[in-house]
C-alpha cells in the first residue's frame, strides 16, 4: 500500500526561521509542500520518512532566504497492481461503486467489475448483487458505509497543473468544468472473497 | 524535483509507527501545528492513523514482523505476497487465494490450512473478535447441559 520514494528538491528557508535547527526547518517545509498532495505518476504523499543528504545552503542576491538542496525519502500511498485493499463504500452511482479509505477517496469500481449479475437500484441509488443459490435469488445490497475488499486493477494519473493563459482564454468562463481528481484507482470485486466483508464472513 | 518512485515497499506497521511517533513529537512541540501550512499534514496524519488503527498492523511490533518473515521463509512466497499477508492477516482460505498468486497450483489444501494457522499464530488478532468466539462456545455449553 505504501512505498518509499527517494526525492531531491531545493528547499527555501526564510530568514525568520534561521534560528531553528536546519533539519527541523527543512522537514517542516517539505511536509508543507508535499503532505496530502498527489505527485504526478508517483502517488499520494503522506509524510517525510527521513532526510538522507543535505547539500550546502546558498543565499542568492535579492532574496534573504537560504536555499538548500535536500535528498530525502517520502512515504507515498501507491498500491501496486493487483494489490488487495479494504475500504468503505462512499456512495453508488451509474458509474459504479465509489470507495473511500478515509485518507484517499478516489477509488471506483466500474459496473463490469462487480460480482455478476449486478443491478443498479434507481430508487435507492445502490448497486446490488443478484446472488443465485439453490433456494432462489438473494439480492445483496452494497450499502453506504459498508466495508468492502477489492483488488486494484488500474490507476489513472491526471496532470492538474495550471495551463497557460492561451488555453484558459478558450474555456468559456464559468463553464462549470468538472474537476478531475489527480489520482484515481480502478478496482474490481469480481472474484471469490472480494466485495463486502459481510458476504464472506461466516 | 527528481524522484526514484520505487525505492522500497513499506508495511502498514512501519507507516503506523512512523505516524504515531510523529504525532507524539508534534504534540510536544506545541504551538505551530495549527498554522495554515501544517493543516495538510494534520489531515493526512489523522485520516491515515484512523484507517491503520483498525487494521492488524496496529497490534504488531518489530519483533512480531521479524518472526513472521522468518516463519514465512519455507513457504517460498514473493515479497508482495508476504507483505499482503502481513498487512491483512487473512483468516480464511479464500483470502489466502486472493493474496497468493496461483495458490491452487503452488499450495495444496493442507499447506493453505497450515499457512492460515501460521498467520494466526504469528500475528496478533483482534481481541474483540477473539472474545466473541469463546463467549459463543460458553453459551453452547450452557444450552447443552440439561
Amino acid at each position: 500500500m505504501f512505498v518509499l520514494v527517494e526525492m531531491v528538491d531545493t528547499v527555501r528557508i526564510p530568514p525568520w526561521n534561521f534560528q531553528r535547527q536546519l533539519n527541523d526547518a527543512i522537514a517542516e517545509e517539505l511536509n508543507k509542500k508535499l503532505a496530502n498532495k498527489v505527485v504526478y505518476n508517483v502517488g499520494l504523499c503522506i509524510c517525510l520518512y527521513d532526510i538522507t543528504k543535505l547539500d550546502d545552503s546558498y543565499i542568492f542576491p535579492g532574496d534573504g532566504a537560504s536555499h538548500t538542496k535536500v535528498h530525502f525519502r517520502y512515504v507515498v500511498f501507491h498500491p501496486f497492481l493487483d494489490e488487495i485493499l479494504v475500504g468503505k463504500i462512499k456512495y453508488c452511482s451509474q458509474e459504479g461503486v465509489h470507495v473511500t479509505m478515509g485518507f484517499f477517496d478516489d477509488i471506483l469500481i466500474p459496473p463490469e467489475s462487480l460480482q455478476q449479475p449486478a443491478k443498479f437500484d434507481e430508487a435507492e441509488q445502490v448497486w446490488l448483487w443478484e446472488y443465485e443459490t439453490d433456494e432462489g435469488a438473494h439480492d445483496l445490497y452494497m450499502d453506504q458505509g459498508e466495508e468492502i475488499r477489492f483488488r486494484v486493477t488500474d490507476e489513472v494519473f491526471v496532470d492538474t497543473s495550471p495551463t497557460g493563459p492561451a488555453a484558459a482564454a478558450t474555456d468559456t468562463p464559468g463553464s462549470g468544468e468538472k474537476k478531475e481528481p489527480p489520482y484515481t484507482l480502478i478496482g474490481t470485486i469480481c472474484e471469490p472473497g472480494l466485495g463486502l466483508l459481510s458476504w464472506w464472513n461466516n | 524535483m527528481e524522484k526514484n518512485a520505487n525505492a522500497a515497499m513499506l508495511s502498514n506497521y512501519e507507516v503506523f509507527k512512523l505516524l504515531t511517533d510523529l504525532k507524539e513529537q508534534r504534540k510536544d512541540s506545541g504551538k505551530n501545528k495549527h498554522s495554515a501550512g501544517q493543516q495538510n499534514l494534520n489531515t493526512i496524519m489523522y485520516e491515515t492513523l484512523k484507517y491503520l488503527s483498525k487494521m492488524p498492523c496496529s497490534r504488531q511490533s518489530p519483533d512480531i514482523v521479524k518472526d513472521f518473515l522468518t516463519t514465512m521463509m519455507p513457504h517460498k512466497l514473493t515479497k508482495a505476497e508476504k507483505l499482503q499477508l502481513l498487512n491483512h492477516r487473512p483468516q480464511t482460505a479464500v483470502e489466502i487465494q486472493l493474496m497468493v498468486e496461483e495458490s491452487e497450483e503452488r499450495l495444496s489444501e493442507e499447506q493453505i490450512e497450515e499457512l492460515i494457522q501460521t498467520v494466526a499464530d504469528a500475528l496478533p488478532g483482534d481481541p474483540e473478535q477473539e472474545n466473541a468466539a469463546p463467549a459463543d462456545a460458553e453459551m453452547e455449553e450452557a444450552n447443552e447441559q440439561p
Side-chain angles (χ1 to χ4, degrees), chain A residues 1-8 28 32 35-36 42 46 84 86 101-102 149 151 191-194, chain B residues 1-5 7-8 10 12 15 18 32 37-38 40 44 47-48 51 84 88 94-95 98:
Chain A
M1 214 186 299
F2 298 102
V3 289
L4 218 48
V5 178
E6 285 170 354
M7 301 198 238
V8 184
E28 191 182 306
K32 212 190 286 193
N36 204 16
V42 172
I46 308 287
I84 304 290
V86 175
M101 290 171 76
R149 189 183 292 130
R151 189 194 286 282
E191 276 174 61
L194 296 179
Chain B
M1 186 165 61
E2 307 156 31
K3 36 198 172 288
N4 168 11
L10 291 174
N12 287 7
V15 179
L18 182 73
N32 66 342
Q38 299 293 315
N40 268 324
I44 191 80
E47 293 286 352
T48 312
Y51 177 82
Q84 290 197 87
H88 288 267
V94 168
E95 291 170 73
L98 284 175

mmCIF file of all heavy atoms in Angstrom, chain A residues 1-8 28 32 35-36 42 46 84 86 101-102 149 151 191-194, chain B residues 1-5 7-8 10 12 15 18 32 37-38 40 44 47-48 51 84 88 94-95 98:
data_model
loop_
_atom_site.group_PDB
_atom_site.id
_atom_site.type_symbol
_atom_site.label_atom_id
_atom_site.label_comp_id
_atom_site.label_asym_id
_atom_site.label_seq_id
_atom_site.Cartn_x
_atom_site.Cartn_y
_atom_site.Cartn_z
ATOM 1 N N MET A 1 0.831 -1.216 0.000
ATOM 2 C CA MET A 1 0.000 0.000 0.000
ATOM 3 C C MET A 1 0.861 1.260 0.000
ATOM 4 O O MET A 1 0.573 2.229 -0.685
ATOM 5 C CB MET A 1 -0.871 -0.031 1.265
ATOM 6 C CG MET A 1 -2.214 0.582 1.025
ATOM 7 S SD MET A 1 -3.175 0.724 2.512
ATOM 8 C CE MET A 1 -3.358 -0.958 3.039
ATOM 9 N N PHE A 2 1.921 1.262 0.819
ATOM 10 C CA PHE A 2 2.773 2.444 0.924
ATOM 11 C C PHE A 2 4.161 2.134 0.380
ATOM 12 O O PHE A 2 4.684 1.051 0.566
ATOM 13 C CB PHE A 2 2.909 2.882 2.384
ATOM 14 C CG PHE A 2 1.608 3.278 3.015
ATOM 15 C CD1 PHE A 2 0.956 2.411 3.871
ATOM 16 C CD2 PHE A 2 1.045 4.510 2.753
ATOM 17 C CE1 PHE A 2 -0.254 2.762 4.442
ATOM 18 C CE2 PHE A 2 -0.165 4.880 3.333
ATOM 19 C CZ PHE A 2 -0.814 3.998 4.181
ATOM 20 N N VAL A 3 4.750 3.112 -0.295
ATOM 21 C CA VAL A 3 6.122 2.941 -0.775
ATOM 22 C C VAL A 3 6.951 4.120 -0.306
ATOM 23 O O VAL A 3 6.427 5.172 0.046
ATOM 24 C CB VAL A 3 6.204 2.849 -2.317
ATOM 25 C CG1 VAL A 3 5.635 1.557 -2.800
ATOM 26 C CG2 VAL A 3 5.518 4.014 -2.975
ATOM 27 N N LEU A 4 8.275 3.896 -0.350
ATOM 28 C CA LEU A 4 9.207 4.949 -0.005
ATOM 29 C C LEU A 4 9.713 5.506 -1.318
ATOM 30 O O LEU A 4 10.127 4.754 -2.187
ATOM 31 C CB LEU A 4 10.369 4.320 0.772
ATOM 32 C CG LEU A 4 10.969 5.081 1.922
ATOM 33 C CD1 LEU A 4 9.920 5.609 2.861
ATOM 34 C CD2 LEU A 4 11.914 4.170 2.668
ATOM 35 N N VAL A 5 9.654 6.830 -1.502
ATOM 36 C CA VAL A 5 10.118 7.435 -2.741
ATOM 37 C C VAL A 5 11.287 8.347 -2.404
ATOM 38 O O VAL A 5 11.184 9.197 -1.517
ATOM 39 C CB VAL A 5 8.980 8.252 -3.398
ATOM 40 C CG1 VAL A 5 9.476 8.923 -4.652
ATOM 41 C CG2 VAL A 5 7.814 7.349 -3.711
ATOM 42 N N GLU A 6 12.407 8.131 -3.129
ATOM 43 C CA GLU A 6 13.566 8.996 -2.902
ATOM 44 C C GLU A 6 13.410 10.218 -3.783
ATOM 45 O O GLU A 6 13.187 10.079 -4.983
ATOM 46 C CB GLU A 6 14.851 8.267 -3.310
ATOM 47 C CG GLU A 6 15.270 7.220 -2.320
ATOM 48 C CD GLU A 6 16.400 6.352 -2.855
ATOM 49 O OE1 GLU A 6 16.768 6.512 -4.036
ATOM 50 O OE2 GLU A 6 16.880 5.515 -2.081
ATOM 51 N N MET A 7 13.509 11.398 -3.187
ATOM 52 C CA MET A 7 13.363 12.607 -3.988
ATOM 53 C C MET A 7 14.483 13.584 -3.683
ATOM 54 O O MET A 7 15.107 13.526 -2.615
ATOM 55 C CB MET A 7 12.026 13.281 -3.691
ATOM 56 C CG MET A 7 10.834 12.409 -3.968
ATOM 57 S SD MET A 7 9.340 13.386 -4.092
ATOM 58 C CE MET A 7 8.358 12.668 -2.859
ATOM 59 N N VAL A 8 14.724 14.477 -4.641
ATOM 60 C CA VAL A 8 15.701 15.553 -4.436
ATOM 61 C C VAL A 8 14.987 16.851 -4.747
ATOM 62 O O VAL A 8 14.314 16.969 -5.762
ATOM 63 C CB VAL A 8 16.890 15.399 -5.411
ATOM 64 C CG1 VAL A 8 17.923 16.459 -5.115
ATOM 65 C CG2 VAL A 8 17.493 14.014 -5.296
ATOM 66 N N GLU A 28 9.855 20.609 8.085
ATOM 67 C CA GLU A 28 8.571 21.296 8.099
ATOM 68 C C GLU A 28 8.221 21.820 6.709
ATOM 69 O O GLU A 28 7.077 21.690 6.254
ATOM 70 C CB GLU A 28 8.619 22.465 9.080
ATOM 71 C CG GLU A 28 7.245 23.055 9.349
ATOM 72 C CD GLU A 28 7.323 24.236 10.290
ATOM 73 O OE1 GLU A 28 7.903 24.073 11.375
ATOM 74 O OE2 GLU A 28 6.819 25.304 9.924
ATOM 75 N N LYS A 32 5.081 20.708 4.433
ATOM 76 C CA LYS A 32 4.139 21.739 3.999
ATOM 77 C C LYS A 32 3.923 21.628 2.497
ATOM 78 O O LYS A 32 2.830 21.839 1.990
ATOM 79 C CB LYS A 32 4.729 23.117 4.330
ATOM 80 C CG LYS A 32 3.685 24.170 4.675
ATOM 81 C CD LYS A 32 4.265 25.551 4.761
ATOM 82 C CE LYS A 32 5.081 25.763 6.008
ATOM 83 N NZ LYS A 32 5.375 27.201 6.220
ATOM 84 N N ALA A 35 2.782 16.991 1.903
ATOM 85 C CA ALA A 35 1.829 16.152 2.638
ATOM 86 C C ALA A 35 0.428 16.299 2.082
ATOM 87 O O ALA A 35 -0.005 17.407 1.770
ATOM 88 C CB ALA A 35 1.829 16.514 4.120
ATOM 89 N N ASN A 36 -0.288 15.173 1.941
ATOM 90 C CA ASN A 36 -1.672 15.162 1.452
ATOM 91 C C ASN A 36 -1.791 15.693 0.028
ATOM 92 O O ASN A 36 -2.858 16.148 -0.375
ATOM 93 C CB ASN A 36 -2.582 15.977 2.393
ATOM 94 C CG ASN A 36 -4.022 15.550 2.301
ATOM 95 O OD1 ASN A 36 -4.320 14.476 1.782
ATOM 96 N ND2 ASN A 36 -4.916 16.384 2.793
ATOM 97 N N VAL A 42 3.463 9.404 -9.217
ATOM 98 C CA VAL A 42 4.137 8.842 -8.039
ATOM 99 C C VAL A 42 3.099 8.345 -7.047
ATOM 100 O O VAL A 42 3.113 7.183 -6.665
ATOM 101 C CB VAL A 42 5.064 9.898 -7.396
ATOM 102 C CG1 VAL A 42 5.607 9.408 -6.068
ATOM 103 C CG2 VAL A 42 6.212 10.214 -8.335
ATOM 104 N N ILE A 46 2.302 11.093 1.944
ATOM 105 C CA ILE A 46 1.772 11.047 3.303
ATOM 106 C C ILE A 46 2.632 11.924 4.217
ATOM 107 O O ILE A 46 2.180 12.953 4.698
ATOM 108 C CB ILE A 46 1.720 9.608 3.846
ATOM 109 C CG1 ILE A 46 1.001 8.679 2.869
ATOM 110 C CG2 ILE A 46 1.091 9.572 5.210
ATOM 111 C CD1 ILE A 46 -0.487 8.871 2.820
ATOM 112 N N ILE A 84 -4.614 -6.216 -2.894
ATOM 113 C CA ILE A 84 -5.923 -6.284 -2.244
ATOM 114 C C ILE A 84 -5.988 -5.168 -1.205
ATOM 115 O O ILE A 84 -5.064 -5.001 -0.413
ATOM 116 C CB ILE A 84 -6.097 -7.634 -1.511
ATOM 117 C CG1 ILE A 84 -5.883 -8.782 -2.480
ATOM 118 C CG2 ILE A 84 -7.455 -7.730 -0.841
ATOM 119 C CD1 ILE A 84 -6.950 -8.957 -3.502
ATOM 120 N N VAL A 86 -8.774 -2.797 1.542
ATOM 121 C CA VAL A 86 -10.081 -2.759 2.192
ATOM 122 C C VAL A 86 -10.485 -1.307 2.360
ATOM 123 O O VAL A 86 -9.684 -0.485 2.801
ATOM 124 C CB VAL A 86 -10.026 -3.447 3.573
ATOM 125 C CG1 VAL A 86 -11.348 -3.304 4.285
ATOM 126 C CG2 VAL A 86 -9.681 -4.907 3.419
ATOM 127 N N MET A 101 -11.048 5.300 1.533
ATOM 128 C CA MET A 101 -10.252 4.702 2.596
ATOM 129 C C MET A 101 -10.014 5.717 3.708
ATOM 130 O O MET A 101 -9.162 5.523 4.545
ATOM 131 C CB MET A 101 -8.911 4.214 2.033
ATOM 132 C CG MET A 101 -9.102 3.018 1.136
ATOM 133 S SD MET A 101 -7.635 2.565 0.253
ATOM 134 C CE MET A 101 -6.708 1.776 1.513
ATOM 135 N N GLY A 102 -10.743 6.811 3.697
ATOM 136 C CA GLY A 102 -10.553 7.818 4.738
ATOM 137 C C GLY A 102 -9.545 8.849 4.270
ATOM 138 O O GLY A 102 -9.865 10.022 4.055
ATOM 139 N N ARG A 149 -13.818 -5.258 0.320
ATOM 140 C CA ARG A 149 -12.460 -5.691 -0.051
ATOM 141 C C ARG A 149 -12.415 -5.706 -1.571
ATOM 142 O O ARG A 149 -13.293 -6.277 -2.217
ATOM 143 C CB ARG A 149 -12.197 -7.097 0.500
ATOM 144 C CG ARG A 149 -10.744 -7.546 0.361
ATOM 145 C CD ARG A 149 -10.541 -8.969 0.848
ATOM 146 N NE ARG A 149 -10.715 -9.099 2.267
ATOM 147 C CZ ARG A 149 -11.479 -10.015 2.861
ATOM 148 N NH1 ARG A 149 -12.161 -10.877 2.154
ATOM 149 N NH2 ARG A 149 -11.572 -10.058 4.168
ATOM 150 N N ARG A 151 -9.715 -5.496 -5.405
ATOM 151 C CA ARG A 151 -8.370 -5.636 -5.944
ATOM 152 C C ARG A 151 -8.123 -4.453 -6.873
ATOM 153 O O ARG A 151 -8.981 -4.077 -7.658
ATOM 154 C CB ARG A 151 -8.277 -6.953 -6.734
ATOM 155 C CG ARG A 151 -6.863 -7.308 -7.157
ATOM 156 C CD ARG A 151 -6.867 -8.412 -8.197
ATOM 157 N NE ARG A 151 -7.171 -9.714 -7.637
ATOM 158 C CZ ARG A 151 -6.291 -10.460 -6.970
ATOM 159 N NH1 ARG A 151 -5.071 -10.049 -6.772
ATOM 160 N NH2 ARG A 151 -6.655 -11.631 -6.501
ATOM 161 N N GLU A 191 -14.266 -11.445 -7.921
ATOM 162 C CA GLU A 191 -13.575 -12.696 -7.605
ATOM 163 C C GLU A 191 -14.073 -13.225 -6.286
ATOM 164 O O GLU A 191 -14.514 -12.441 -5.442
ATOM 165 C CB GLU A 191 -12.077 -12.415 -7.451
ATOM 166 C CG GLU A 191 -11.279 -12.383 -8.721
ATOM 167 C CD GLU A 191 -9.856 -11.958 -8.411
ATOM 168 O OE1 GLU A 191 -9.175 -12.682 -7.643
ATOM 169 O OE2 GLU A 191 -9.438 -10.903 -8.902
ATOM 170 N N PRO A 192 -13.960 -14.550 -6.060
ATOM 171 C CA PRO A 192 -14.394 -15.062 -4.747
ATOM 172 C C PRO A 192 -13.546 -14.460 -3.643
ATOM 173 O O PRO A 192 -12.317 -14.415 -3.746
ATOM 174 C CB PRO A 192 -14.148 -16.577 -4.852
ATOM 175 C CG PRO A 192 -13.548 -16.820 -6.170
ATOM 176 C CD PRO A 192 -13.539 -15.598 -6.979
ATOM 177 N N GLY A 193 -14.229 -13.963 -2.598
ATOM 178 C CA GLY A 193 -13.506 -13.336 -1.487
ATOM 179 C C GLY A 193 -13.544 -11.833 -1.554
ATOM 180 O O GLY A 193 -13.288 -11.147 -0.562
ATOM 181 N N LEU A 194 -13.905 -11.266 -2.722
ATOM 182 C CA LEU A 194 -13.943 -9.808 -2.850
ATOM 183 C C LEU A 194 -15.368 -9.308 -2.723
ATOM 184 O O LEU A 194 -16.316 -10.030 -2.984
ATOM 185 C CB LEU A 194 -13.379 -9.384 -4.207
ATOM 186 C CG LEU A 194 -11.907 -9.696 -4.446
ATOM 187 C CD1 LEU A 194 -11.484 -9.245 -5.825
ATOM 188 C CD2 LEU A 194 -11.031 -9.054 -3.397
ATOM 189 N N MET B 1 12.018 18.599 -9.584
ATOM 190 C CA MET B 1 12.216 17.694 -8.459
ATOM 191 C C MET B 1 12.476 16.291 -9.003
ATOM 192 O O MET B 1 11.668 15.738 -9.696
ATOM 193 C CB MET B 1 10.927 17.693 -7.619
ATOM 194 C CG MET B 1 11.042 16.912 -6.362
ATOM 195 S SD MET B 1 9.723 17.261 -5.208
ATOM 196 C CE MET B 1 8.296 16.767 -6.101
ATOM 197 N N GLU B 2 13.665 15.749 -8.696
ATOM 198 C CA GLU B 2 13.944 14.401 -9.205
ATOM 199 C C GLU B 2 13.347 13.394 -8.260
ATOM 200 O O GLU B 2 13.255 13.645 -7.070
ATOM 201 C CB GLU B 2 15.452 14.165 -9.263
ATOM 202 C CG GLU B 2 16.206 15.225 -10.017
ATOM 203 C CD GLU B 2 17.660 15.283 -9.547
ATOM 204 O OE1 GLU B 2 18.204 14.238 -9.143
ATOM 205 O OE2 GLU B 2 18.235 16.370 -9.571
ATOM 206 N N LYS B 3 12.978 12.231 -8.775
ATOM 207 C CA LYS B 3 12.480 11.208 -7.880
ATOM 208 C C LYS B 3 12.798 9.796 -8.376
ATOM 209 O O LYS B 3 12.921 9.555 -9.551
ATOM 210 C CB LYS B 3 10.964 11.339 -7.699
ATOM 211 C CG LYS B 3 10.240 11.771 -8.943
ATOM 212 C CD LYS B 3 8.871 12.281 -8.576
ATOM 213 C CE LYS B 3 8.170 12.910 -9.731
ATOM 214 N NZ LYS B 3 8.717 14.209 -10.137
ATOM 215 N N ASN B 4 12.942 8.915 -7.411
ATOM 216 C CA ASN B 4 13.068 7.493 -7.695
ATOM 217 C C ASN B 4 11.815 6.876 -7.108
ATOM 218 O O ASN B 4 11.718 6.653 -5.906
ATOM 219 C CB ASN B 4 14.321 6.933 -7.014
ATOM 220 C CG ASN B 4 14.340 5.421 -7.045
ATOM 221 O OD1 ASN B 4 13.536 4.793 -7.743
ATOM 222 N ND2 ASN B 4 15.236 4.826 -6.285
ATOM 223 N N ALA B 5 10.831 6.584 -7.992
ATOM 224 C CA ALA B 5 9.498 6.307 -7.471
ATOM 225 C C ALA B 5 9.346 5.007 -6.723
ATOM 226 O O ALA B 5 8.285 4.732 -6.206
ATOM 227 C CB ALA B 5 8.484 6.365 -8.604
ATOM 228 N N ALA B 7 11.743 3.209 -4.311
ATOM 229 C CA ALA B 7 12.950 2.834 -3.582
ATOM 230 C C ALA B 7 12.704 1.646 -2.672
ATOM 231 O O ALA B 7 13.557 0.780 -2.546
ATOM 232 C CB ALA B 7 13.442 4.015 -2.773
ATOM 233 N N ALA B 8 11.544 1.588 -2.017
ATOM 234 C CA ALA B 8 11.295 0.482 -1.081
ATOM 235 C C ALA B 8 9.808 0.385 -0.820
ATOM 236 O O ALA B 8 9.087 1.366 -0.912
ATOM 237 C CB ALA B 8 12.021 0.729 0.225
ATOM 238 N N LEU B 10 6.837 -0.330 1.990
ATOM 239 C CA LEU B 10 6.695 -0.227 3.439
ATOM 240 C C LEU B 10 5.485 -1.038 3.890
ATOM 241 O O LEU B 10 4.457 -1.038 3.229
ATOM 242 C CB LEU B 10 6.453 1.236 3.840
ATOM 243 C CG LEU B 10 7.615 2.200 3.672
ATOM 244 C CD1 LEU B 10 7.155 3.608 3.981
ATOM 245 C CD2 LEU B 10 8.745 1.837 4.597
ATOM 246 N N ASN B 12 2.301 -1.753 6.471
ATOM 247 C CA ASN B 12 1.400 -0.841 7.178
ATOM 248 C C ASN B 12 1.914 -0.535 8.573
ATOM 249 O O ASN B 12 1.760 0.582 9.071
ATOM 250 C CB ASN B 12 -0.002 -1.473 7.290
ATOM 251 C CG ASN B 12 -0.719 -1.461 5.980
ATOM 252 O OD1 ASN B 12 -0.150 -1.104 4.969
ATOM 253 N ND2 ASN B 12 -1.977 -1.862 5.994
ATOM 254 N N VAL B 15 4.446 2.335 8.586
ATOM 255 C CA VAL B 15 3.834 3.655 8.415
ATOM 256 C C VAL B 15 3.071 4.037 9.684
ATOM 257 O O VAL B 15 3.108 5.191 10.130
ATOM 258 C CB VAL B 15 2.891 3.654 7.190
ATOM 259 C CG1 VAL B 15 2.233 4.990 7.025
ATOM 260 C CG2 VAL B 15 3.665 3.292 5.945
ATOM 261 N N LEU B 18 5.572 5.184 12.238
ATOM 262 C CA LEU B 18 6.130 6.487 11.876
ATOM 263 C C LEU B 18 5.152 7.607 12.218
ATOM 264 O O LEU B 18 5.511 8.628 12.816
ATOM 265 C CB LEU B 18 6.436 6.506 10.368
ATOM 266 C CG LEU B 18 7.060 7.776 9.836
ATOM 267 C CD1 LEU B 18 8.494 7.856 10.278
ATOM 268 C CD2 LEU B 18 6.982 7.838 8.328
ATOM 269 N N ASN B 32 3.003 25.591 16.725
ATOM 270 C CA ASN B 32 2.848 25.948 15.313
ATOM 271 C C ASN B 32 2.090 24.944 14.462
ATOM 272 O O ASN B 32 1.971 25.127 13.277
ATOM 273 C CB ASN B 32 4.222 26.204 14.691
ATOM 274 C CG ASN B 32 5.040 24.919 14.650
ATOM 275 O OD1 ASN B 32 4.735 23.959 15.359
ATOM 276 N ND2 ASN B 32 6.060 24.889 13.822
ATOM 277 N N GLY B 37 -0.163 26.218 6.902
ATOM 278 C CA GLY B 37 0.696 25.292 6.164
ATOM 279 C C GLY B 37 0.656 23.882 6.721
ATOM 280 O O GLY B 37 0.773 22.906 5.999
ATOM 281 N N GLN B 38 0.467 23.752 8.034
ATOM 282 C CA GLN B 38 0.528 22.430 8.661
ATOM 283 C C GLN B 38 -0.779 21.674 8.563
ATOM 284 O O GLN B 38 -0.856 20.516 8.938
ATOM 285 C CB GLN B 38 0.884 22.581 10.150
ATOM 286 C CG GLN B 38 2.215 23.238 10.382
ATOM 287 C CD GLN B 38 3.346 22.369 9.895
ATOM 288 O OE1 GLN B 38 3.373 21.169 10.148
ATOM 289 N NE2 GLN B 38 4.255 22.945 9.151
ATOM 290 N N ASN B 40 -2.519 20.458 6.105
ATOM 291 C CA ASN B 40 -2.497 19.278 5.227
ATOM 292 C C ASN B 40 -1.882 18.092 5.927
ATOM 293 O O ASN B 40 -2.383 16.972 5.856
ATOM 294 C CB ASN B 40 -1.678 19.578 3.964
ATOM 295 C CG ASN B 40 -2.558 20.098 2.859
ATOM 296 O OD1 ASN B 40 -3.690 19.664 2.736
ATOM 297 N ND2 ASN B 40 -2.055 21.018 2.083
ATOM 298 N N ILE B 44 -3.843 14.520 6.776
ATOM 299 C CA ILE B 44 -3.430 13.214 6.250
ATOM 300 C C ILE B 44 -2.983 12.293 7.378
ATOM 301 O O ILE B 44 -3.273 11.097 7.364
ATOM 302 C CB ILE B 44 -2.340 13.362 5.150
ATOM 303 C CG1 ILE B 44 -2.142 12.036 4.435
ATOM 304 C CG2 ILE B 44 -1.027 13.833 5.688
ATOM 305 C CD1 ILE B 44 -3.181 11.757 3.408
ATOM 306 N N GLU B 47 -6.258 11.048 9.220
ATOM 307 C CA GLU B 47 -7.041 10.070 8.453
ATOM 308 C C GLU B 47 -6.298 8.749 8.308
ATOM 309 O O GLU B 47 -6.891 7.675 8.421
ATOM 310 C CB GLU B 47 -7.355 10.637 7.047
ATOM 311 C CG GLU B 47 -8.290 11.826 7.050
ATOM 312 C CD GLU B 47 -9.730 11.441 7.329
ATOM 313 O OE1 GLU B 47 -10.041 10.234 7.371
ATOM 314 O OE2 GLU B 47 -10.546 12.352 7.523
ATOM 315 N N THR B 48 -4.984 8.827 8.020
ATOM 316 C CA THR B 48 -4.225 7.595 7.829
ATOM 317 C C THR B 48 -4.142 6.816 9.135
ATOM 318 O O THR B 48 -4.286 5.597 9.146
ATOM 319 C CB THR B 48 -2.823 7.912 7.291
ATOM 320 O OG1 THR B 48 -2.939 8.821 6.216
ATOM 321 C CG2 THR B 48 -2.126 6.659 6.793
ATOM 322 N N TYR B 51 -7.391 5.045 9.746
ATOM 323 C CA TYR B 51 -7.537 3.853 8.913
ATOM 324 C C TYR B 51 -6.655 2.721 9.422
ATOM 325 O O TYR B 51 -7.099 1.594 9.600
ATOM 326 C CB TYR B 51 -7.174 4.204 7.465
ATOM 327 C CG TYR B 51 -7.228 3.029 6.531
ATOM 328 C CD1 TYR B 51 -8.440 2.605 5.992
ATOM 329 C CD2 TYR B 51 -6.083 2.329 6.194
ATOM 330 C CE1 TYR B 51 -8.499 1.518 5.151
ATOM 331 C CE2 TYR B 51 -6.125 1.240 5.347
ATOM 332 C CZ TYR B 51 -7.334 0.836 4.824
ATOM 333 O OH TYR B 51 -7.387 -0.249 4.000
ATOM 334 N N GLN B 84 1.285 -8.584 1.777
ATOM 335 C CA GLN B 84 -0.177 -8.575 1.885
ATOM 336 C C GLN B 84 -0.638 -9.429 3.054
ATOM 337 O O GLN B 84 -1.575 -9.064 3.766
ATOM 338 C CB GLN B 84 -0.815 -9.084 0.587
ATOM 339 C CG GLN B 84 -0.631 -8.105 -0.562
ATOM 340 C CD GLN B 84 -1.575 -8.396 -1.690
ATOM 341 O OE1 GLN B 84 -2.699 -7.925 -1.696
ATOM 342 N NE2 GLN B 84 -1.132 -9.170 -2.654
ATOM 343 N N HIS B 88 -2.855 -7.811 6.049
ATOM 344 C CA HIS B 88 -4.273 -8.145 6.157
ATOM 345 C C HIS B 88 -4.589 -9.230 7.178
ATOM 346 O O HIS B 88 -5.723 -9.335 7.611
ATOM 347 C CB HIS B 88 -4.819 -8.596 4.787
ATOM 348 C CG HIS B 88 -4.956 -7.475 3.813
ATOM 349 N ND1 HIS B 88 -6.122 -6.761 3.655
ATOM 350 C CD2 HIS B 88 -4.069 -6.931 2.968
ATOM 351 C CE1 HIS B 88 -5.937 -5.831 2.741
ATOM 352 N NE2 HIS B 88 -4.701 -5.907 2.299
ATOM 353 N N VAL B 94 -10.119 -18.541 1.294
ATOM 354 C CA VAL B 94 -10.498 -17.656 0.182
ATOM 355 C C VAL B 94 -9.596 -16.422 0.151
ATOM 356 O O VAL B 94 -9.111 -15.999 -0.902
ATOM 357 C CB VAL B 94 -11.987 -17.238 0.327
ATOM 358 C CG1 VAL B 94 -12.317 -16.116 -0.604
ATOM 359 C CG2 VAL B 94 -12.875 -18.423 0.034
ATOM 360 N N GLU B 95 -9.331 -15.843 1.335
ATOM 361 C CA GLU B 95 -8.467 -14.655 1.383
ATOM 362 C C GLU B 95 -7.053 -15.008 0.960
ATOM 363 O O GLU B 95 -6.400 -14.246 0.248
ATOM 364 C CB GLU B 95 -8.444 -14.078 2.801
ATOM 365 C CG GLU B 95 -9.747 -13.446 3.243
ATOM 366 C CD GLU B 95 -9.737 -13.120 4.737
ATOM 367 O OE1 GLU B 95 -9.049 -12.158 5.112
ATOM 368 O OE2 GLU B 95 -10.399 -13.827 5.507
ATOM 369 N N LEU B 98 -6.718 -15.062 -2.679
ATOM 370 C CA LEU B 98 -6.685 -13.741 -3.299
ATOM 371 C C LEU B 98 -5.281 -13.168 -3.283
ATOM 372 O O LEU B 98 -4.846 -12.511 -4.224
ATOM 373 C CB LEU B 98 -7.589 -12.783 -2.522
ATOM 374 C CG LEU B 98 -9.091 -12.915 -2.734
ATOM 375 C CD1 LEU B 98 -9.793 -11.963 -1.799
ATOM 376 C CD2 LEU B 98 -9.451 -12.609 -4.161
#
